[in-house]
Amino acid sequence: MSSSANITYAYLQDNELQFVPPESFRKEAEIKSLDEYRRLYRYSIENPDAFWAEQSGLIDWHRNWKKVYSGNFAEGEHKWFVGGKLNVSYNCVDRHLNTWRKNKAALIWQGERRDDFRVLTYNDLWNKVSRFANVLKKWGVSKGDRVAIYLPMIPELIIAMLACTRIGAIHNVIFAGFSAESLRERILDSGARLVITADGGIRRGAIVPLKDNVDKALEHCPGVHTCIVVRQAHADIDFWTHRDKWWHIEIKAPDIKTDCPPEPMDSEDPLFILYTSGSTGKPKGVLHTTGGYMVYAATTMKYIFDLKDTDTFWCTADSGWITGHSYVAYAPLALGATVVIYEGLCNYPTPDRYWQIIERFKVNIFYTAPTVIRSLMREKEEWVNKHDLSSLRLLGTVGESINPEAWLWYHRVVGKGRCPIVDTYWQTETGGIIISALPGAISAKPGSAAMPFFGVEPVILDSQGNETSENSEGCLAMKRPWPGLMRGVYGAPNRFFETYMSVFPGYYFTGDGARLDKDGYYWLLGRMDDVINVSGHRIGTSEVEGAITEHSDVAEAAVVGYPHVIKGEGIYAYVILKKGVQESEELKNTIRQCVRRVIGPIATPDKIQFTEQLPKTRSGKIMRRILRKIAAGEFEQIGDITTLADSNVVDELIKHRQP
Ligand code: WTA
């Protein structure tokens, strides 16, 4: 073991780099050694009921639960903290009011413009959440109703989510980067009758027309009777007075009281729906329930982020994604942290925007995505170095595996070699982090998400579903449920079982490949299904194909991911045009626009290749493996093509590959 420039590191037997938690961090950490982690992990696996019963104490219950767990996991059924009653907004807000945290900053919001910022104390948050919950009631929302939220990263987004939980309404947050069509699809599928939006978002100084998108979406959503609009961008919008209401007027209306008693919810009452992409064309509404989700989110926050009461926590994720549900809103607020939220981009107007914010608000824990790190490390280090980042004590990443080069830069340049990094692996479905280092106990190996969280039991399965031993590679599955695991797919009772539990009977299959090394570290190897991970966002290839074929000149499309330096994966589309249509760059642009219109800018293909044919088997199935290899330029590894109906297509595709 050796040490230089405050960086403690050790080489393992096979010369692998490993970062040991710094002594100063370890001393203060919740879990202080690998042995301590192992002991508690073993306990959580051998005595799950006792372990989770203890953790449930992180949450306040209106009525105590009677049983920790019941269910039949093999059939996809699992219930937690059965018989308990609780309220999420009470846990995230009210319970702090009787403590010194009453006037502590709960949310610090930074807008894209430097002068736009707001601080809300826990007391302010209570006031706004309660009043807005009464606004929702006034417009007919009651327990069990679905509410769609389509907002930029502004405090109203968190307030709206919490207000829903206060009255037992089920929120469905739709990322503000999604198009009107995606929005419509999600509103209809969830059966929402009230939508919350803003007059616009702000991106690179320009206005994102959120309200216009809502207007378009609602043309086809007859069930929606009310739309509440936050005045944010001061944009010029259409306002339909029978349906649209201003947030700032509603919340101050004379008939709106501040008092709104939190509705005691059953542990298994739905908390929220969040749509995510899978292998099929239609996004799934992942359903999380109240008790298990809250206990799991809070427990992971306590151990993985090692949260202290004095911490200012900044997770850069948008609350349109699961990370922004669990680690912007619910977990940090339940534990009484100060949470930073930021509306803008990491590099606008200058590439030091994030570092400025860390310095300005003295952020202690910073949680972001590898794609952000890769894009910022391309800039001169001075952009980082001109800011005082000495408040930082812990760094985290999420969304995809982090390449060691980016890890080392993050550690050295941002963390100055002092801050442990937790690479956290999880999914919309898992509710919270399921594989990660514990920062004071488990050494980090750059590129590995490290070890399972308490109560989580991963296995690596071979293609036949046999469990394999260490140092093996295969399909990552989970052998038992944990409180944060999703309960179902909204509106499709069998889809949870069919999608996740039937591939390998008895196991929850993540859809990811992984390798377990001899030290018990998991190395994630990417999706094994037709999902592309673009900048840490899940995009279903079939959704993009569906969007491309909406273009009137397109006959057929096949979409794959390919390695992209910044985004992790880029989107590569092979497109067959209708007979007689001329290929042109202009046409490629209109196809891109079509995808932006149907799904949203995040799904825009990076590369489009026109082709006459796609590689298909004799039974007509597209061989995506071949398309992926060609897109990646790995021609040597194309492999067996004898099952193709016409093997000449491969040479043709290679010849016209887009560089
Ligand atoms: C990928 C995001 C490697 C993975 C929280 C997973 C990761 C998908 C990591 C879920 C990580 C997320 N290392 N891969 N640390 N974190 N992933 O639902 O493929 O948006 O299945 O949830 O992201 O994406 P989702």
Coordinates of all heavy atoms in Angstrom, one line a residue, residues 489 492-499:
V489 N -46.7 -3.2 -13.0 CA -46.8 -2.3 -14.1 C -48.2 -1.8 -14.1 O -49.2 -2.5 -14.0 CB -46.5 -3.0 -15.4 CG1 -46.7 -2.1 -16.6 CG2 -45.1 -3.6 -15.4
A492 N -51.4 -3.2 -16.0 CA -51.2 -4.4 -16.7 C -50.7 -5.4 -15.6 O -49.5 -5.7 -15.4 CB -50.1 -4.2 -17.7
P493 N -51.7 -6.0 -14.9 CA -51.4 -6.8 -13.8 C -50.3 -8.0 -14.0 O -49.5 -8.2 -13.1 CB -52.7 -7.5 -13.4 CG -53.7 -6.7 -14.1 CD -53.1 -6.0 -15.2
N494 N -50.3 -8.5 -15.2 CA -49.3 -9.6 -15.4 C -48.0 -9.2 -15.9 O -47.1 -10.0 -16.0 CB -49.9 -10.7 -16.4 CG -51.1 -11.3 -15.8 OD1 -51.2 -11.5 -14.6 ND2 -52.1 -11.5 -16.6
R495 N -47.9 -7.9 -16.2 CA -46.7 -7.5 -17.0 C -45.4 -7.5 -16.1 O -44.3 -7.7 -16.6 CB -46.9 -6.2 -17.6 CG -46.2 -6.1 -19.0 CD -46.7 -5.0 -19.8 NE -45.6 -4.5 -20.6 CZ -45.5 -3.3 -21.1 NH1 -46.5 -2.4 -20.9 NH2 -44.5 -2.9 -21.8
F496 N -45.6 -7.3 -14.8 CA -44.4 -7.4 -13.9 C -43.8 -8.8 -14.0 O -42.6 -9.0 -14.2 CB -44.7 -7.0 -12.5 CG -43.5 -7.1 -11.6 CD1 -42.4 -6.4 -11.8 CD2 -43.6 -8.0 -10.5 CE1 -41.3 -6.6 -10.9 CE2 -42.5 -8.2 -9.7 CZ -41.3 -7.5 -9.9
F497 N -44.7 -9.7 -13.8 CA -44.3 -11.1 -13.7 C -43.7 -11.5 -15.1 O -42.6 -12.0 -15.2 CB -45.4 -12.1 -13.4 CG -45.1 -13.5 -13.5 CD1 -44.3 -14.1 -12.5 CD2 -45.4 -14.2 -14.6 CE1 -44.0 -15.5 -12.6 CE2 -45.0 -15.6 -14.7 CZ -44.3 -16.2 -13.7
E498 N -44.4 -11.2 -16.2 CA -44.0 -11.6 -17.5 C -42.6 -11.0 -17.9 O -41.8 -11.6 -18.5 CB -45.0 -11.2 -18.6 CG -46.2 -12.2 -18.5 CD -47.4 -11.5 -19.2 OE1 -47.3 -10.5 -19.8 OE2 -48.5 -12.1 -19.0
T499 N -42.5 -9.7 -17.6 CA -41.3 -9.0 -18.1 C -40.1 -9.3 -17.2 O -39.0 -9.5 -17.8 CB -41.5 -7.5 -18.0 OG1 -42.8 -7.2 -18.5 CG2 -40.4 -6.7 -18.7

